[in-house]
Amino acid sequence: MAEALRARRRGTPVALESAMATKIMIVDDEPDTLKTFVDLFESEGYDVTAVDTGEKALESINGYQPDVILLDIMLPGRNGIEVARELGARGTDRKIPIVMITALSAFPVGDMSLAEETGIKRFIFKPCQSRTLLQVVDDAVRYG
Amino acid sequence: MPSGTVSERSHPVFEFVRALREPLTYQPWRNLYGAFGLLWGLPIPIFSVSIHCWATGHPFSLDFLARYPVHLLFAMHPLLFAVVFGAMGSVRARKDRHIGTLLASLQEKLEELREANEKLKELDRLRSEFVANVTHELKTPLVAIRGYAEMLQEGRLGPLTEKQATGLRTVLRNVDRQQQQIDDLLQIARLESGRLRADKHPFPLRPLLEGCVEMFRPQAEAKQIALGLDAPDVRVNADRDMIGHVVTNLIANAIKFVEPGGRVDVAVRNGDGVLVRVSDDGCGIPEEARPFIFDRFRQADGSMRRRHGGVGLGLAIVKGMLDQHGSSIEVTSEVGRGTTVEFDLPKGGDA
């Protein structure tokens, strides 16, 4: 990641940079929150795609093939849990680790068996320290 | 004998008794028992008088009754039947009707209770949904505020001057405070609605207390307050997170109200239960404020709130959490001398 950051500052060609940068898809319906996370992860050297609904995420995921997904729970239309379920059901996307994030005070997840069938690897509450968020996402990418 | 009890129970007498013992429905025909009495009783004296007349050769007339009063008794016979039967019937009917009305009103009340219960459940659901939504909405703006403040502070968006860095530290400190207050509000709401329950397991108390004390060490040192811990190795049976929260809250409170140079002590006494004590030599709680210290949103006076911050939820949460453990909290305080807060926890078995 640090190399990617330096590469960006040096002005390394985009193609080369994106080849080494970790690809993250951020799904959040709150524009300011989305922008905050996009700026945070871009400043950390990630290759970021941001969408504001679960449907758009499901649509664009095959084209983008992210290494990790940061998925909000309270989304208009299909909520984050449903999106994660759908991704899990697709089979091919099973390997993409998902980090669920929410401003709710408890995750509305009945049982943790959900994590196995959906690829949800980490849970984190908003608002959290940027350091914590980066650490959690990085862990999810590294260790699944 | 194939089955004695069954044959006994199906005997008409038992049927009759059982019928008597089932007064659950109103049977209006019981009001006609009097008429039945007449029907039963009337033929008997008529029959007996006519036999008498036939045997003695008297003509059959009403004069006969006047002459022989004994036959008057016979003539009264059906009336007696009617009165007795009628009384039995109507008493029985009235009793049945009474019980029937009682049952009906009971049914009605039950229905009302059920409806009220449903309504309460719905209200409770709405309330918790409301709390969840409100805290979600309160927290959402903090994401962007905290996110950008941290990015600025870490220099991700360019270099900062010293003044700007100081300003950002203030912003972040206040974001922390806001977040803490939202969490407190949420916690009190969950405690009150009974959704937050103690999950009790035996655990060693000392490491937890050490963690709590160390967490406040920098803050205490910055304010030149001595922070002491005196705890033997004991295990308690309690919710670790909740007790951590309780102790943290109490220490934070103590530090808040102790002047620089004072001290705050956390001590544990091992007796029947485990007694935890947090004491300070701060300003103390004025007599008139003591009854209210566990109320929500109360501090000794408004100026204190301005000086020390907080919305006054801390002790309400502490009390709620200790209630969950069935343990009582005791506060002794002397103005100008300090405050001591004590609570007991059940001992925990070996691991």
Side-chain angles (χ1 to χ4, degrees):
Chain A
M1 244 71 75
E3 285 95 328
L5 187 57
R6 259 174 262 132
R8 165 164 292 202
R9 293 212 176 114
R10 279 202 306 271
T12 317
V14 174
L16 182 57
E17 182 192 321
S18 61
M20 50 207 261
T22 311
K23 295 205 273 184
I24 183 169
M25 173 177 276
I26 304 177
V27 192
D28 202 309
D29 61 316
E30 198 69 40
D32 284 348
T33 304
L34 195 57
K35 195 163 162 352
T36 310
F37 287 158
V38 168
D39 284 352
L40 176 66
F41 281 97
E42 277 183 346
S43 75
E44 189 69 10
Y46 281 80
D47 178 350
V48 182
T49 294
V51 288
D52 59 358
T53 64
E55 284 84 357
K56 284 185 200 164
L58 288 170
E59 254 170 52
S60 53
I61 199 140
N62 280 334
Y64 182 61
Q65 287 294 339
D67 299 312
V68 61
I69 305 171
L70 185 64
L71 186 55
D72 187 31
I73 288 187
M74 298 276 273
L75 292 170
R78 309 178 69 174
N79 70 35
I81 302 281
E82 285 166 0
V83 172
R85 277 227 177 84
E86 163 92 35
L87 286 178
R90 282 187 185 175
T92 48
D93 302 313
R94 197 181 286 267
K95 284 180 201 118
I96 303 179
I98 300 174
V99 177
M100 298 301 291
I101 189 163
T102 187
L104 292 172
S105 314
F107 281 95
V109 179
D111 54 325
M112 291 307 289
S113 68
L114 185 69
E116 275 152 40
E117 67 181 64
T118 56
I120 296 175
K121 300 296 182 193
R122 299 283 193 282
F123 292 95
I124 190 166
F125 290 107
K126 285 188 279 192
C128 58
Q129 294 197 335
S130 318
R131 225 173 311 145
T132 318
L133 179 60
L134 290 172
Q135 186 65 51
V136 166
V137 170
D138 193 42
D139 283 354
V141 175
R142 272 172 211 260
Y143 310 114
Chain B
M1 199 171 171
S3 59
T5 50
V6 170
S7 67
E8 191 183 65
R9 286 223 173 118
S10 59
H11 192 277
V13 170
F14 291 106
E15 294 287 322
F16 177 69
V17 169
R18 194 176 306 150
L20 279 182
R21 283 187 181 165
E22 289 174 356
L24 293 181
T25 50
Y26 173 50
Q27 294 156 318
W29 50 265
R30 286 186 194 275
N31 281 319
L32 298 176
Y33 267 25
F36 292 158
L38 272 179
L39 282 178
W40 275 61
L42 209 52
I44 298 169
I46 290 174
F47 186 65
S48 73
V49 166
S50 38
I51 293 277
H52 186 89
C53 290
W54 174 73
T56 57
H58 280 294
F60 184 76
S61 75
L62 286 177
D63 301 347
F64 181 87
L65 289 177
R67 261 192 288 145
Y68 297 95
V70 158
H71 290 294
L72 201 63
L73 267 184
F74 272 124
M76 298 300 281
H77 192 147
L79 213 61
L80 197 70
F81 262 63
V83 168
V84 171
F85 272 57
M88 278 168 59
S90 67
V91 164
R92 177 65 191 269
R94 203 174 297 172
K95 184 173 133 199
D96 286 358
R97 188 164 46 196
H98 182 59
I99 291 175
T101 340
L102 279 182
L103 279 178
S105 66
L106 196 65
Q107 205 91 38
E108 219 169 87
K109 287 273 182 294
L110 273 177
E111 206 52 50
E112 275 171 30
L113 272 178
R114 197 170 298 139
E115 271 170 31
N117 196 20
E118 288 300 315
K119 212 175 279 178
L120 277 178
K121 270 188 195 158
E122 172 70 7
L123 276 177
D124 192 49
R125 199 185 58 74
L126 283 177
R127 183 175 110 138
S128 54
E129 204 171 89
F130 173 75
V131 169
N133 282 339
V134 165
T135 48
H136 182 268
E137 291 312 305
L138 288 174
K139 279 179 186 176
T140 299
L142 290 183
V143 179
I145 300 175
R146 177 189 276 285
Y148 276 109
E150 282 181 352
M151 276 187 261
L152 284 166
Q153 196 187 32
E154 288 165 10
R156 288 172 191 273
L157 307 177
L160 289 182
T161 66
E162 191 47 45
K163 261 192 172 169
Q164 285 166 340
T166 315
L168 278 173
R169 267 198 295 281
T170 311
V171 170
L172 280 170
R173 199 171 55 241
N174 281 281
V175 169
D176 276 342
R177 202 168 121 186
Q178 181 95 328
Q179 204 171 327
Q180 185 60 47
Q181 283 169 359
I182 294 169
D183 285 342
D184 279 1
L185 268 175
L186 186 76
Q187 210 134 31
I188 201 85
R190 285 160 90 196
L191 273 171
E192 277 181 1
S193 66
R195 235 178 308 281
L196 192 61
R197 292 203 175 282
D199 179 19
K200 290 179 223 171
H201 297 289
F203 69 90
L205 187 57
R206 195 183 154 84
L208 177 72
L209 295 182
E210 277 171 354
C212 291
V213 168
E214 286 318 308
M215 198 165 81
F216 284 100
R217 186 76 66 196
Q219 201 180 329
E221 273 167 9
K223 219 178 150 184
Q224 292 175 328
I225 294 170
L227 196 53
L229 172 66
D230 169 24
D233 280 322
V234 285
R235 294 175 71 82
V236 291
N237 186 24
D239 186 316
R240 200 171 193 285
D241 292 343
M242 277 199 188
I243 299 309
H245 198 102
V246 165
V247 174
T248 312
N249 242 314
L250 293 178
I251 299 178
N253 253 345
I255 289 182
K256 205 187 275 182
F257 295 110
V258 168
E259 300 299 327
R263 60 177 300 117
V264 174
D265 284 295
V266 180
V268 175
R269 292 283 164 270
N270 201 352
D272 287 340
V274 175
L275 194 72
V276 184
R277 177 191 301 152
V278 180
S279 52
D280 64 62
D281 58 357
C283 57
I285 306 165
E287 187 94 47
E288 61 276 12
R290 273 172 223 171
F292 310 115
I293 53 172
F294 292 114
D295 289 2
R296 294 169 294 159
F297 307 114
R298 291 288 275 262
Q299 279 180 348
D301 63 49
S303 68
M304 260 193 198
R305 178 167 306 171
R306 282 189 292 281
R307 244 170 64 209
H308 301 288
V311 285
L313 278 175
L315 281 178
I317 293 174
V318 163
K319 177 122 183 15
M321 288 182 165
L322 288 176
D323 280 348
Q324 288 275 318
H325 289 82
S327 64
S328 54
I329 181 164
E330 212 167 285
V331 179
T332 44
S333 184
E334 207 175 321
V335 176
R337 299 290 293 274
T339 305
T340 301
V341 185
E342 283 178 327
F343 62 91
D344 56 318
L345 290 173
K347 269 189 181 173
D350 294 322

